């Protein structure tokens, strides 16, 4: 099977689009959608994103274009899938840990949330489960979803394996039903995109 480099559903372009979206969203990270500064910035025609002009600094004073921990972990996950020839929790955790310790994309990890930091510092609990947020605590619904696109690409023809890997990857750091569901949903959407190109 070959892919057209100009095809938007080419797996390489899907992964690239994920990284670009991450970089463009960086100035708004950790901001609520109803934040008045964010709403004012996005709707200002002189600011760039909606006007088509050159992007300016975001409402937190950050320029678009720097990827976050989500892209770093996406690359670490892709590396682990290729290294382990499938989803194997020990390979994936080791790849995330190498990235976190500064051996992956971009050197030292940056922008990690408290849940990721805790999970990677403490290591997985029994059953390769990360930080337990099922009994209240911090909302972690997007924890795995932000990095799961390589699973959608790798398992695009095997939905059972895809769902198992996406759930396993989410709970590796964020042990919550919301994280599992979000990870599976994004992985399935990516797989659909890849399958549309076949």
């Amino acid at each position: 099977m070959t892919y057209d480099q100009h095809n938007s559903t080419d797996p390489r372009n899907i992964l690239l689009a994920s990284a670009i979206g991450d970089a463009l969203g960086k100035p708004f990270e950790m901001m609520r959608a109803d934040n008045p500064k964010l709403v004012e910035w996005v709707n200002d025609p002189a600011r760039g994103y909606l006007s088509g002009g050159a992007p300016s600094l975001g409402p937190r004073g950050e320029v678009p274009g720097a990827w976050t921990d989500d892209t770093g972990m996406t690359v670490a996950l892709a590396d682990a899938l290729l290294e382990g020839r499938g989803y194997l929790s020990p390979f994936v955790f080791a790849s995330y840990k190498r990235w976190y310790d500064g051996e992956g994309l971009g050197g030292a990890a940056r922008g990690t949330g408290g849940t990721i930091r805790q999970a990677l510092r403490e290591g997985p609990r029994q059953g390769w489960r990360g930080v337990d947020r099922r009994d209240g605590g911090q909302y972690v619904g997007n924890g795995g979803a932000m990095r799961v696109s390589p699973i959608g690409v790798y398992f695009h023809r095997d939905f059972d394996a895809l769902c198992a890997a996406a759930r396993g990857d989410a709970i590796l750091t964020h042990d919550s039903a919301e994280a599992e569901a979000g990870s599976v949903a994004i992985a399935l959407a990516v797989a659909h995109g890849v399958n549309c190109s076949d």
Side-chain angles (χ1 to χ4, degrees):
M1 169 179 14
T2 61
Y3 292 99
D4 177 352
Q5 65 179 352
H6 302 293
N7 183 341
S8 63
T9 56
D10 178 323
R12 295 167 295 187
N13 291 337
I14 290 171
L15 296 176
L16 179 60
S18 172
I20 291 171
D22 183 35
L24 291 175
K26 169 65 175 146
F28 313 106
E29 192 171 36
M30 309 300 277
M31 293 186 79
R32 292 176 48 100
D34 60 355
N35 182 307
K37 287 178 73 177
L38 174 62
V39 172
E40 176 186 350
W41 192 87
V42 169
N43 290 322
D44 183 342
R47 296 293 187 168
Y49 270 21
L50 299 182
S51 68
S56 59
L57 294 179
R60 292 172 50 203
E62 297 176 352
V63 67
W67 71 81
T68 73
D69 59 312
D70 300 315
T71 296
M73 293 188 81
T74 299
V75 171
L77 174 57
D79 287 345
L81 289 170
L82 296 174
E83 179 185 357
R85 296 193 179 130
Y87 189 89
L88 298 170
S89 295
F91 280 87
V92 174
F93 187 84
S95 189
Y96 288 155
K97 186 76 168 105
R98 283 192 301 272
W99 163 80
Y100 185 75
D101 291 340
E103 299 172 31
L105 176 69
R110 62 180 186 221
T112 55
T115 302
I116 291 287
R117 286 193 302 273
Q118 183 180 347
L120 295 179
R121 286 179 184 161
E122 295 177 1
R125 295 179 293 121
Q126 183 177 7
W128 291 97
R129 299 182 92 80
V131 178
D132 189 347
R133 300 291 189 196
R134 291 172 296 171
D135 299 321
Q138 179 180 345
Y139 176 74
V140 292
N142 69 345
M146 297 297 290
R147 64 180 188 246
V148 77
S149 54
I151 288 175
V153 170
Y154 193 91
F155 294 107
H156 71 279
R157 294 202 180 277
D158 186 344
F159 289 163
D160 290 338
L162 179 149
C163 290
R167 283 194 305 273
D169 188 62
I171 65 171
L172 195 57
T173 54
H174 299 72
D175 191 0
S176 76
E178 293 94 344
E180 289 184 60
S183 185
V184 168
I186 298 300
L188 285 170
V190 169
H192 176 71
V194 174
N195 289 334
C196 285
S197 68
D198 289 349

